Amino acid sequence: MVENKGRWLSFFSTCLLVLIFSSFAYDAESQVRFSDVVIPPSLEQPAGMIETVAEDDSYAAKYLPDIIYATYGERAVTLSLLIPKQESAKRSWPLIVYVQGAAWRNQNLYQALPQLADFAHQGYVVASIEHRPSSEVIAPAQVQDIKSAIRYLRKNAEKYHIDPNRIGIMGDSSGGHLAVMVGVSDGVADFETEDNQPFSSSVKAVVDLYGPTDFLQMHKYPSRIDHNAEDSPESLVVGGPIQDPKYRALVDLYNPLTYIEKDKKLPPFFIIHGDTDALVPFNQSVLLYTRLRDTNHEVAFYKIKGAGHGPGIWTKGVMDRIQEFFDQKLK
C-alpha cells in the first residue's frame, strides 16, 4: 500500500514538472516571438537543401465578401473587396472596380478573384461588384447599380482605405460594356439613383475586355448567338427584340457610342479583344476604339491574335499590360 502510494506521488510529481516545463517553454517562446530580440540568420547549410529569398508580402490581400451597398425592397446588392494587407498603415490605395461579365444575367462574383488578387498584391483595393440581372430588372438598372456601388465606395473610402480621387473600372464581356458605360455617361440623369448620394460615380480610367458596344450591329459578324433574337442577352436586357423600333430608345440608352462626343471630357480607355471571339464580335471593340480615337479621346486598343471570348485574354502578359495602364493612370 505504501509502495503504491509512493508510485502515485511520483507520477503526480512528474506530471506537475511536465506542466511547469511546458508552461515555461510556451512563455519563453512567446517572449522571443514578441520581444525586440534580434535573431541572426542561420548559417546552417545541410547538403541537398534548397535556398531562396523571401518575397515581399507587404501587399498581401485581405478579403471582405458580401458587403451590401444598396437595397431595393428586400433585395440587397453586394460587393466584395480585396484590400492590401498594409491597411494598418492608415494609407489609402487606388481602387479598381471590377464588373464580372455574365450576359447581364446572374454573375459568378468569385470567378476572377485569383486574377484580381494580383492587383491587390500590387497595391490596389479591388471591388468585385454585383448588379441586378436582366431576369429581375431591365436597362438601365445594371449601370445604375455599378454607379451606386462606386458612390458607396467613395462614401466609405476611409473605412476601406481607398483614395477616392484614384478610381478605375474594369469589366469583361457584358461587364466590359457596363464599365464603358460608366466611363462615358458621367452626369447622365438616366443612370443616377438616390443611393449613396451625393458622392460621385466618376472614374479616372476604363479597361474594357471584349465588351459589346452597338447591339444593332452585332448580327453583321459571325457569332454563336443570334443577337437579334427575342431571347438574346441583348434583347433580354432591354426588355424586347433589339431590332424592334419599340425598344430603340433603350437600345440607344445602352449604346456607349451615344455619349462619346468630341468636346466631352472622358477618362482614358484601354480596350482588349480576341480576334477569334465567337460570342461578342471583334468589330464591337473596333467601333468603340474608332469613335474614341476620332473624337480625340485617349484610347489604346490591343487585338489578341488567337484569343477567344476569355481564353487567351486572362494571361499574365495581358494582365501585366492592364496593370501598367492602371499604374500610369491611377498611381
Side-chain angles (χ1 to χ4, degrees):
M1 185 75 174
V2 173
E3 183 179 352
N4 289 338
K5 183 175 181 182
R7 288 176 180 175
W8 279 110
L9 286 173
S10 176
F11 172 76
F12 283 121
S13 298
T14 302
C15 290
L16 182 60
L17 286 171
V18 169
L19 288 171
I20 292 172
F21 180 79
S22 300
S23 176
F24 172 78
Y26 179 82
D27 287 343
E29 181 185 356
S30 299
Q31 289 170 11
V32 171
R33 184 183 300 153
F34 297 110
S35 71
D36 295 328
V37 173
V38 177
I39 306 299
S42 173
L43 299 179
E44 294 182 278
Q45 296 284 344
M49 182 186 74
I50 298 172
E51 183 175 297
T52 186
V53 178
E55 297 180 9
D56 178 12
D57 69 347
S58 58
Y59 291 117
K62 181 171 78 172
Y63 179 45
L64 301 179
D66 305 326
I67 300 168
I68 296 174
Y69 70 82
T71 55
Y72 303 96
E74 296 183 356
R75 173 65 155 101
V77 280
T78 66
L79 58 86
S80 297
L81 288 177
L82 294 167
I83 303 176
K85 190 176 71 173
Q86 278 192 345
E87 81 211 51
S88 58
K90 299 299 182 183
R91 65 179 293 181
S92 58
W93 309 90
L95 169 68
I96 297 175
V97 171
Y98 173 70
V99 188
Q100 173 70 56
W104 303 280
R105 296 171 179 166
N106 288 306
Q107 303 154 283
N108 178 356
L109 297 175
Y110 313 101
Q111 180 175 329
L113 285 179
Q115 292 89 343
L116 298 177
D118 287 340
F119 293 118
H121 297 162
Q122 298 302 319
Y124 289 93
V125 175
V126 182
S128 180
I129 309 297
E130 177 192 20
H131 63 70
R132 288 169 292 169
S134 59
S135 58
E136 291 183 21
V137 62
I138 62 170
Q142 294 74 30
V143 177
Q144 291 173 340
D145 287 353
I146 305 304
K147 284 176 170 277
S148 174
I150 294 171
R151 291 195 299 270
Y152 171 88
L153 291 166
R154 273 203 169 91
K155 180 180 179 180
N156 293 278
E158 184 176 355
K159 177 180 180 180
Y160 297 125
H161 304 275
I162 293 167
D163 183 341
N165 297 313
R166 295 188 291 164
I167 297 179
I169 190 168
M170 166 183 168
D172 71 300
S173 193
S174 62
H177 165 263
L178 295 175
V180 172
M181 286 297 300
V182 168
V184 300
S185 65
D186 195 32
V188 177
D190 289 305
F191 302 116
E192 297 297 326
T193 61
E194 294 301 316
D195 307 303
N196 303 308
Q197 293 288 2
F199 294 88
S200 169
S201 59
S202 64
V203 295
K204 290 194 173 293
V206 179
V207 173
D208 169 26
L209 303 179
Y210 46 91
T213 300
D214 186 343
F215 296 172
L216 298 180
Q217 298 196 53
M218 297 181 77
H219 73 288
K220 296 179 180 179
Y221 298 86
S223 176
R224 293 177 183 169
I225 296 175
D226 178 3
H227 295 283
N228 286 342
E230 188 172 0
D231 61 350
S232 75
E234 295 76 25
S235 294
L236 291 174
V237 80
V238 300
I242 56 175
Q243 298 290 353
D244 188 332
K246 183 168 60 174
Y247 301 99
R248 184 59 184 268
L250 278 177
V251 171
D252 289 344
L253 187 72
Y254 255 26
N255 186 347
L257 306 183
T258 301
Y259 310 97
I260 301 174
E261 302 170 355
K262 189 170 186 179
D263 297 325
K264 184 175 181 178
K265 185 177 180 181
L266 296 178
F269 287 78
F270 191 79
I271 305 168
I272 298 173
H273 209 133
D275 66 348
T276 62
D277 193 322
L279 296 179
V280 176
F282 181 81
N283 176 259
Q284 290 288 292
S285 288
V286 173
L287 293 172
L288 176 62
Y289 169 69
T290 54
R291 176 64 66 87
L292 288 165
R293 182 199 63 193
D294 294 346
T295 51
N296 299 324
H297 291 101
E298 183 179 350
V299 58
F301 182 23
Y302 281 80
K303 173 196 281 189
I304 310 299
K305 297 180 69 174
H309 193 75
I313 303 292
W314 291 88
T315 64
K316 185 179 185 306
V318 174
M319 293 301 110
D320 285 348
R321 289 186 182 274
I322 292 172
Q323 186 188 317
E324 290 170 5
F325 172 75
F326 279 133
D327 286 349
Q328 291 171 5
K329 305 307 175 186
L330 301 181
K331 289 187 176 181

